[in-house]
Amino acid sequence: MSRPVRIGLQLQPQHAPDYGLIRDAVLRAEDAGVDIVFNWDHFYPLAGDPVGAHFECWTMLGAFAEQTERVEIGALVTGGGYRNPELLADMARTVDHISGGRLILGIGAGWFKKDYDEYGYEFGTAGTRLALLKEYLPRLTSRLGKLNPQPIRDIPILIGGGGERKTLRLVAEYADIWHSFADLDALAHKNRVLAEHAAEVGTDEKRIERSLPWPGLDQAQAYLDAGVTLFTVGSSGPRYDLEELKTAIRWRDEVNPVDVRGGS
């Protein structure tokens, strides 16, 4: 294992009409020893009541940054077309400073049509959304290099998606973390494709951390053997049950070297 296993929690900001429920879940997750607390960048719930209670992603990340002390934070993932990339870079830099250098900048092409329709963004096609992400990533990284003050650290970029021709090319060029939803067979194939893209752009693909949703205790070791080291458990409001998260954290502490156990 070239890097330690990390466990994330995606606190899905849906069906929690009182923000205090989310604040409490963040506190419980950090106390439990989670490595990263993510939210997501949507404007409406993805499950349950389609017009149920929901809060905005990046405003919330500023609150996460102020509330927490140890965990990394980020969006899993930011909708690539929802914000001007220069503005997004400035937002990320600001949250990075509020957190003391703990932000992960997660981004993807976007897919949830209701978000686009209701908030006035052009939905287009998967191809046009990926083309926009391709245009935005160099603008985003360029602006990060121009800001004063600079981010506290080189903000890790997480790219979500699994398209072999376009998305994995962007992963090879820009990402520190690649988040996918691939099963074991597909993951092995996509890893080979990513390695080919990385060789073409002159990137060491081994530096890119592999990330997946938590597959459950029975499959976690198989995914670890396949190279995945970041696993994220999802939890939805209003209850924000963290029992599965605690199971994942216990497993992390069993498989990690002694000197990194108990959280990063």
Side-chain angles (χ1 to χ4, degrees):
M1 186 169 60
S2 60
R3 65 177 88 230
V5 169
R6 302 195 293 165
I7 299 297
L9 171 68
Q10 186 188 55
L11 278 176
Q12 301 161 359
Q14 59 181 6
H15 308 308
D18 177 358
Y19 180 75
L21 296 168
I22 297 174
R23 183 187 298 112
D24 173 70
V26 172
L27 175 63
R28 290 189 284 124
E30 186 166 48
D31 286 348
V34 76
D35 296 293
I36 308 166
V37 177
F38 293 110
N39 58 10
W40 68 28
D41 191 19
H42 294 289
F43 307 123
Y44 290 91
L46 299 187
D49 182 355
V51 293
H54 203 282
F55 286 105
E56 193 275 328
C57 168
W58 275 89
T59 312
M60 191 182 313
L61 288 177
F64 287 7
E66 193 65 58
Q67 176 186 353
T68 57
E69 297 179 353
R70 177 188 58 79
V71 296
E72 290 184 288
I73 58 174
L76 193 64
V77 289
T78 305
Y82 293 165
R83 298 165 188 83
N84 170 285
E86 286 79 11
L87 172 60
L88 179 59
D90 206 341
M91 293 164 60
R93 180 277 310 260
T94 300
V95 174
D96 186 60
H97 272 263
I98 296 170
S99 70
R102 294 182 284 116
L103 178 74
I104 294 171
L105 178 48
I107 193 165
W111 63 274
F112 189 43
K113 191 172 186 297
K114 184 179 180 68
D115 285 345
Y116 288 81
D117 291 346
E118 293 286 346
Y119 277 65
Y121 300 110
E122 182 179 351
F123 185 62
T125 65
T128 61
R129 294 193 299 277
L130 277 167
L132 190 64
L133 181 63
K134 181 179 179 180
E135 174 196 337
Y136 276 15
L137 279 166
R139 290 170 57 184
L140 173 68
T141 54
S142 175
R143 180 57 55 183
L144 284 170
K146 297 175 182 177
L147 293 168
N148 182 17
Q150 281 284 282
I152 290 177
R153 64 172 178 174
D154 290 334
I155 298 174
I157 293 176
L158 178 155
I159 294 179
E164 295 176 13
R165 187 166 63 89
K166 296 178 180 179
T167 302
L168 290 184
R169 180 75 175 201
L170 296 175
V171 170
E173 290 185 85
Y174 295 101
D176 301 284
I177 306 168
W178 168 44
H179 184 79
S180 78
F181 296 87
D183 62 25
L184 283 168
D185 290 339
L187 181 64
H189 171 69
K190 289 177 186 293
N191 271 325
R192 291 191 291 270
V193 174
L194 178 57
E196 292 170 0
H197 284 306
E200 290 173 2
V201 301
T203 297
D204 180 6
E205 58 91 15
K206 293 180 181 178
R207 72 168 181 79
I208 302 170
E209 185 173 16
R210 271 56 165 184
S211 168
L212 275 169
W214 172 245
L217 192 58
D218 58 334
Q219 296 191 70
Q221 185 63 51
Y223 278 97
L224 176 59
D225 293 342
V228 179
T229 55
L230 174 54
F231 297 91
T232 298
V233 178
S235 186
S236 179
R239 183 182 173 199
Y240 292 112
D241 186 341
L242 302 186
E243 289 308 306
E244 189 65 19
L245 176 70
K246 293 175 183 177
T247 296
I249 289 171
R250 287 192 295 269
W251 174 78
R252 175 202 67 191
D253 288 348
E254 291 172 359
V255 299
N256 270 346
V258 173
D259 60 348
V260 297
R261 293 181 183 178
S264 60

